[in-house]
Amino acid sequence: MKILETIKQQKIIEVRERRSLYPIKLLEQSRYFETACVSLKGYIHSEKHQGIIAEFKRKSPSKGNINVYADVEKISLGYMQAGASALSVLTDETFFGAKKQDLPTARKLNYCPILRKDFIIDEYQLIESKAMGADTILLIAKILTPAQIAQFTTLAHQLGMEVLLEIHTETEILDNIHTHADLVGINNRNLNSFEVDVENSIRLAGLLPEGVVKIAESGLESAAVIKTLKNNGFSGFLIGEYFMKTADPAAKCAALIKELRL
C-alpha cells in the first residue's frame, strides 16, 4: 500500500497545481468538451473485435522502464490497425513516464474508445479527462471510498464519459456491489505486493452481479489465458506491458489477436 499512498499524495499536489494553471472554465473550452464520447462498453461487445484494450505506457513503479522512447502516434495507430477494441493511455508523468500530449495525440489520430489510465482522486480530474478527449475514466477502489466512487461515476456520466471501476478483492466488490460503473475491471496484480495472479479474476468474477461487463487486467500474456477468461464471463482484456516491452508493440498485439481468432 506504500506506493499507492505515495502516488495518491503526489496526485493531491498535482491536482492543486493544475487547478491553478488550468482552471475548469479553461478546460471547458477544449474542442473535445462538447464532443460525444465513444462507448468502450459498446466496442468491447462488438463482434468484430476480440475485446483487447491495448495500453500505451513507458514505465511503471513495479517494472521500471518498459519502453521509455515509445511513440504514441505510431503505437496507437498500430494497435487499432491490429484490431484492438480500444486504447488505454497512461497520463501519469511521475510514476509512468507519460507526456502531456500522449492522450490528446492518441485522440486526434484515432476514432475509438480511449481510457484515461491514471489515479483519479478529485472531480477536477474528470473535467480534465473530458477536455483531453478521454471517453472512459478509471476509478481504483483501493484508493477511493464507495461514496467517492458513486460521486465520480455520477459526474463522469453527466460529462458523457463511461467508468471502468477497478477492484482487486472480495471486500472491494461487496463495498461497491451497487455501483453504476459501466465496466468492472478485476486486477490480477496485487496492489500491495505487485505480484500477478491471473486466477484472481476467475475467483472474483462470480461475485459480480449478472450483466456486469467484466474486464480482466494485468498478467495477460497468452491467447490461452484470455480464452479461459472469456469462458468465465470476461469480455475485455486490458494489456499493456506484454505489448509495450517489445520492439514493436503493435505487431505483438496483432499476433495475439490473430491467435484469438483461430
Side-chain angles (χ1 to χ4, degrees), residues 34-98:
E34 298 300 327
T35 302
C37 292
V38 187
S39 173
L40 176 59
K41 187 174 179 179
Y43 269 60
I44 288 297
H45 283 314
S46 170
E47 294 182 0
K48 296 189 299 182
H49 300 94
Q50 296 296 319
I52 301 299
I53 304 171
E55 186 161 274
F56 180 86
K57 66 179 177 181
R58 295 185 176 87
K59 65 179 185 178
S60 75
S62 59
K63 297 295 183 178
N65 290 341
I66 298 170
N67 195 333
V68 291
Y69 301 111
D71 182 335
V72 69
E73 179 175 337
K74 177 182 177 181
I75 293 173
S76 67
L77 284 169
Y79 276 156
M80 298 317 297
Q81 290 167 358
S85 297
L87 297 172
S88 170
V89 180
L90 266 295
T91 59
D92 175 86
E93 298 177 47
T94 303
F95 301 96
F96 286 86

Side-chain angles (χ1 to χ4, degrees), residues 19 49 51 56 69 102 119 157 159 181 185 190 208 245 257 260:
R19 192 189 293 271
H49 300 94
F56 180 86
Y69 301 111
D102 282 344
F119 298 83
H157 288 164
L159 292 168
N190 186 307
L208 293 170
K245 67 184 179 182
I257 290 173
L260 289 172

Side-chain angles (χ1 to χ4, degrees), residues 106-124:
R107 171 76 292 153
K108 181 180 178 181
L109 296 170
N110 298 277
Y111 182 81
C112 67
I114 298 181
L115 167 69
R116 182 191 181 184
K117 188 87 173 288
D118 210 319
F119 298 83
I120 303 280
I121 57 156
D122 191 284
E123 285 191 342
Y124 174 84

Side-chain angles (χ1 to χ4, degrees), residues 102-175:
D102 282 344
L103 196 150
T105 297
R107 171 76 292 153
K108 181 180 178 181
L109 296 170
N110 298 277
Y111 182 81
C112 67
I114 298 181
L115 167 69
R116 182 191 181 184
K117 188 87 173 288
D118 210 319
F119 298 83
I120 303 280
I121 57 156
D122 191 284
E123 285 191 342
Y124 174 84
Q125 291 167 288
L126 276 73
I127 308 291
E128 184 180 55
S129 300
K130 178 67 173 175
M132 285 180 180
D135 302 293
T136 304
I137 59 162
L138 176 74
L139 298 181
I140 303 173
K142 181 73 75 177
I143 62 172
L144 298 170
T145 66
Q148 286 176 311
I149 291 169
Q151 174 188 353
F152 294 167
T153 298
T154 297
L155 177 56
H157 288 164
Q158 289 172 351
L159 292 168
M161 296 185 294
E162 293 181 342
V163 172
L164 170 60
L165 174 62
E166 178 180 297
I167 57 88
H168 185 267
T169 66
E170 180 176 343
T171 298
E172 289 169 8
I173 290 177
L174 297 178
D175 285 347

